[in-house]
Amino acid sequence: MTPPRKLHIKSYGCQMNVYDAQRMVDAMAADGFVETANADEADLVILNTCHIREKASEKVYSELGRLRVAREEAAREGRDMRIAVAGCVAQAEGDEIIRRAPVVDVVVGPQSYHHLPELLARAAKGGKAIETEFPAEDKFNFLPQPKSDAIRARGISAFVTVQEGCDKFCTFCVVPYTRGAEVSRPVAKIVEDVKRLADNGVRELTLIGQNVNAYHGEGPDGRPWPLGKLLHRLAEIPGIVRLRYSTSHPRDVEDSLIEAHRDLPALMPFVHLPVQSGSDRILAAMNRKHTAREYLEVVDRFRRVRQDIAFSSDFIVGFPGETEEDFSATLALVMQIGYAASYSFKYSPRPGTPAADMQEMVSAADMDERLVRLQDLIDSQQSAFNKATIGTTVDVLFERPARNPGQIVGRTAYLQPAHVMASPDIIGKVLPVRIDSLERYSLLGELVTTMPSQAAHAPSSQTTIGA
Ligand code: SAM
Ligand code: SF4
C-alpha cells in the first residue's frame, strides 16, 4: 500500500480563508491527502492568500521564494512537491503569479477551489493550471463534507460560511473584485452542515460572510430569510450552545437581527461592527453610505435590547484626504462607543479600487502617528473592559488544554480567553468561572461549583453537553 500523500496549507487573512482552507483539506482528503504541519515534507503546498492590504499580498511572494528552495531540496531527495496558490491574490493576479514565481503549478480563485483535484491532475501532466473565473455553479454543491474525525480534530468551535461576496464597493476595498457579488447559501444546506458539525462535538458556531448581515438565503418556505431568522433556526439544533456572526455592515442591521439578540440566549452579546472612520467626510469618500451618527444609532438599537452587548470594529487611518480634524472625529467616536476590542490598519492603496486613484495621500509619518494614537486608545478601552471582569463570575465555553499543564482554556461571551485548573472533561461545556486576575489579554479564574446561577453575561450556565 502506498503511504498517503501529505498536504500543507498556509492560510492568510480573514476567517473565511480559515474556513476555505479547511474545505480545501476536505477536498484533498477525498483524493488521498493527509495534512502535515511541515511544509518541507509535503507533496502539495497550498498558500491560501489575502489581497486586502499590500503587505498581505507581498508575503505570498516571499513565502514562494522559500518554497522554491524546499521544492529543490525535495527533488534532490527524489520527491515531487507541487505548489498551489489559492485565495484572493490568486483571484486578483492570476497568471501574473506564475510569471513572478514559476515554481507555482496551480492558481485557483476563492470560488473555484472545489476544482483543485482536477487542476492538480492537469498540472501533473505538465504545464500549469489556472482557474480564476467566477463559475456559475456553487462550489458548496461539489465540496465533500468533512469527515467526522476531521471535525472533531478541529475542536468545539467552528466557522460556517453562510454568505459570500460583497456589493457595497467601499472605495478602498478589493473584496467585491476578488470574492464577487453577494451570494447567500440556502437555509437547508446550512442546517445540514450545522447538524453534522453538532453531531461531531461542535458547540459554538460563527456564521461568516464578507457582509454576513446582508444574508438573504432561500428558506424552506421558498422565501429569502434574513440573518435573524437563520439564527433562530440554528439555535434549535441540539448541541449548539453559542452562536456568533461576522462581519456585519452597519447599513444591513435589520430589526430581525436586533430581535434575535433580544430573544436568543445562545446568540453572544458581542458584535463586530466595522465603522472605519468617525468622520462623515471620510465615510462619504469611502462610499460607506452611512454617517457617524447613523452608526451610533445602530449601536443604540442593539444596546436597547441587550445592555451587556459589546462591540468591536475595524478602522482605517490615513485614508486619502484624512485631515487631523477627520482623525479627531474617529477618536471621538471611539470614546463615545467604548469598544471591547478593535482592529486598526493604515490605509493601503489597492490596484483597481477607486481610492487608489485619489491624489491627497496622507504622509507615512502622519499615518504612523495616527495609528499609534488610535491603537493606544483602543488598547486602553480593551484593558478597562477586561479588568472589569475581575471579581465577577462569567460563563466560559471550554475549548482545549492550555499550554500550562493542568490548565484548560475557554472563551467568555466576549471571546476573552479564560484559564482554569480543571480536568479535560469540561471541554465542550459552558461553566461559570470566578475571574481572579488578568494576564495580558487572558483571564485567570476558578470554576464555580456551588452557585451556578450567579453566572453573569451569557446564557444558561452549567449546561452539560456530551462531547
Ligand atoms: N466587510 C467588512 C466591512 O464592511 O467592514 C470588512 C471586510 S475587510 C476583509 C476587513 C477590514 O480590512 C476592513 O474592515 C478594513 O478595515 C480593512 N481594509 C480593507 N481594505 C483596506 C485597505 N485598502 N487598506 C487598509 N485596510 C483595509
Ligand atoms: Fe469591503 Fe466594504 Fe464590502 Fe466590507 S462592505 S467587504 S469593506 S467593500
Side-chain angles (χ1 to χ4, degrees), residues 52-53 172-173 175 210 247-249 274 276 288 314-316 345-348 350:
I52 203 83
R53 285 169 289 276
F172 52 82
C173 184
V175 168
Q210 269 87 29
T247 296
S248 302
H249 194 289
Q276 315 298 352
R288 291 291 290 181
D314 293 344
F315 294 92
I316 294 179
F345 312 99
K346 286 189 273 187
Y347 168 69
S348 169
R350 306 309 292 130

Side-chain angles (χ1 to χ4, degrees), residues 18-52:
V18 174
Y19 174 83
D20 287 345
Q22 291 177 349
R23 299 307 301 258
M24 288 182 219
V25 170
D26 298 335
M28 297 313 298
D31 231 33
F33 279 85
V34 294
E35 217 179 337
T36 170
N38 181 359
D40 292 339
E41 64 168 29
D43 301 293
L44 169 63
V45 178
I46 303 174
L47 300 184
N48 192 27
T49 60
C50 172
H51 194 56
I52 203 83

